[in-house]
Amino acid sequence: MTQEFLAPILPATQGMTLPLPGSVARPEYAPGEREALVARIKDLLREKDAVLVAHYYTDEDLQALADATGGYVSDSLDMARFGNEHPASTLVVAGVRFMGETAKILNPEKRVLMPTLKAECSLDLGCPAEQFIPFCDQHPERTVVVYANTSAEVKARADWVVTSSIAVDLVRHLHEKGEKILWAPDRHLGRYIQQETGADMLLWPGGCIVHEAFRADALLRLKEKHPEAAVLVHPESPEAVIELADRVGSTTQIIQAAREMPHKTFIVATDNGILYKMRQAAPDKTFLEAPTMGVGATCVSCAHCPWMAMNSLRNLAEVLETGANEIHVDEAVRVKALKATQRMLDFGRSRRATGTPAD
Ligand code: 13P
Ligand code: SF4
């Protein structure tokens, strides 16, 4: 089976100034401010018939609030599913833009708000529709599978949308049916899926700035210091880091691994926002952050998505009060993007219900 890298196509983020992982500080609050904001947000959620859906990488204040108010904290697939099934008329999505867009694609009748519209994702930025669509057109024989971390326009050109929690299963399923894949945008995840499934995959050269920063050499040194620890890795990480993993999986899958594996210590290679839920899932275990820099770096791990960090109690309260930052998706684009996104949810549901994938 072949695996190609698109050398002639330069990553679209070249030339852009992107924030560095760990560069957006966690929000700080004056004495009493946090409690006042939490109380105000709880009232506003009730008043506005709204529910808070937060990603594992957001600040722990937001995750705690989502849990405390009947909302949800999860990975990108489950956030989409929860928002789709919840009866609230307003979904407040704390995460990055593609998560708000996915919520709108699935729920056109609902109002979707985000604490900030500045929360991008390097995968989404690195795969602009105006480059991606002509590229797909050059490869009509391939089934287009895109990661959820993409714009609505890119999803509209895809045959399937997937998240990391079902990507391997879906590509294996397509490969067994004899289909060749065009995969975008994360090249590390694409390479990992190709290795796991043996599928014929053409890879778009995108990358996550947070996961690309993990360093195999420094991880190896940390492993030597903690030989008892198991290494948990998100598959957006580079190949050399994945090779050192005891378990590779989506955010939800590695939280589950932390709970179920017999180890008492784990080294975690993903955004450190996940540690809040990991510690809840396995309170008696110890979690170490995988290093993102070599010797001499100013921080041991800077693995925090600068865009996820833009969500705070302050901008959440503000957006609920004002109704600002509403997500809109062009209706023609939404209808096309819905097809590939709904397929992802159906595939996930049927796999959970029967173990058999939907076609
Ligand atoms: P999950 O789909 O595992 O939640 O990952 C989303 C993401 O942005 C990872 O960096
Ligand atoms: Fe995108 Fe990476 Fe941030 Fe996830 S962690 S939202 S993939 S930039």
Side-chain angles (χ1 to χ4, degrees):
M1 291 298 162
T2 59
Q3 182 199 10
E4 297 171 54
F5 283 89
L6 304 175
I9 297 184
L10 292 172
T13 47
Q14 276 196 2
M16 283 185 195
T17 313
L18 301 179
L20 289 171
S23 62
V24 175
R26 293 211 146 81
E28 281 181 23
Y29 301 100
E33 189 188 0
R34 173 185 279 109
E35 295 71 19
L37 284 166
V38 165
R40 195 158 114 226
I41 293 165
K42 284 184 176 169
D43 287 345
L44 285 164
L45 287 168
R46 266 192 304 272
E47 255 171 53
K48 311 276 179 181
D49 184 31
V51 67
L52 175 61
V53 190
H55 191 268
Y56 291 127
Y57 296 167
T58 55
D59 194 66
E60 55 186 67
D61 285 327
L62 295 171
Q63 298 189 42
L65 191 55
D67 283 338
T69 54
Y72 202 53
V73 182
S74 194
D75 63 12
S76 53
L77 175 65
D78 249 3
M79 286 171 76
R81 187 164 44 223
F82 179 85
N84 194 222
E85 289 168 0
H86 196 279
S89 59
T90 294
L91 303 176
V92 191
V93 179
V96 296
R97 192 185 49 189
F98 79 83
M99 295 172 179
E101 279 189 359
T102 304
K104 190 66 187 174
I105 289 166
L106 290 164
N107 305 286
E109 74 295 350
K110 295 186 186 180
R111 185 168 69 137
V112 177
L113 303 178
M114 297 193 74
T116 169
L117 295 181
K118 293 196 182 117
E120 301 280 357
C121 165
S122 60
L123 290 171
D124 183 355
L125 290 173
C127 187
E130 59 279 14
Q131 288 183 25
F132 183 65
I133 292 171
F135 177 66
C136 294
D137 293 344
Q138 286 165 22
H139 299 280
E141 75 290 359
R142 288 183 181 263
T143 302
V144 178
V145 183
V146 303
Y147 199 27
N149 302 36
T150 46
S151 66
E153 289 77 10
V154 164
K155 290 185 175 76
R157 180 59 184 82
D159 298 301
W160 289 88
V161 172
V162 287
T163 65
S164 51
S165 63
I166 57 168
V168 170
D169 286 355
L170 174 75
V171 171
R172 184 174 287 124
H173 171 64
L174 299 177
H175 175 51
E176 282 165 2
K177 293 198 323 175
E179 296 180 30
K180 290 178 173 184
I181 311 297
L182 187 158
W183 167 265
D186 190 279
R187 65 179 184 272
H188 299 298
L189 178 56
R191 186 213 58 80
Y192 173 71
I193 299 167
Q194 200 278 332
Q195 174 194 302
E196 291 298 296
T197 62
D200 183 333
M201 295 174 75
L202 184 58
L203 308 182
W204 184 265
C208 160
I209 54 162
V210 178
H211 291 87
E212 282 202 326
F214 288 118
R215 293 277 305 271
D217 50 355
L219 176 56
L220 202 55
R221 284 195 292 276
L222 188 62
K223 254 171 84 87
E224 280 161 9
K225 269 171 72 184
H226 299 274
E228 76 292 0
V231 178
L232 306 175
V233 176
H234 193 286
E236 287 169 19
S237 307
E239 180 173 6
V241 173
I242 290 183
E243 272 171 7
L244 296 173
D246 294 290
R247 190 69 63 87
V248 180
S250 71
T251 45
T252 299
Q253 288 162 349
I254 58 178
I255 290 173
Q256 201 179 333
R259 189 189 298 118
E260 291 171 2
M261 288 170 78
H263 303 74
K264 290 285 174 213
T265 306
F266 292 89
I267 301 173
V268 182
T270 193
D271 185 296
N272 57 26
I274 203 170
L275 297 178
Y276 175 68
K277 277 285 160 199
M278 264 185 185
R279 290 190 177 115
Q280 279 183 353
D284 55 328
K285 300 190 178 179
T286 302
F287 299 99
L288 306 170
E289 296 179 35
T292 54
M293 301 280 182
V295 175
T298 51
C299 51
V300 178
S301 174
C302 306
H304 189 42
C305 177
W307 293 294
M308 291 280 183
M310 290 174 181
N311 295 272
S312 70
L313 291 174
R314 274 191 210 105
N315 52 20
L316 170 59
E318 200 176 305
V319 97
L320 272 165
E321 220 142 62
T322 62
N325 294 355
E326 183 170 354
I327 299 293
H328 297 283
V329 177
D330 174 86
E331 185 56 12
V333 171
R334 189 194 70 77
V335 170
K336 284 195 203 148
L338 176 63
K339 217 172 141 208
T341 309
Q342 188 62 52
R343 275 179 116 179
M344 161 178 81
L345 293 185
D346 293 344
F347 181 87
R349 273 189 197 115
S350 111
R351 200 182 52 139
R352 276 199 320 281
T354 63
T356 318
D359 277 326

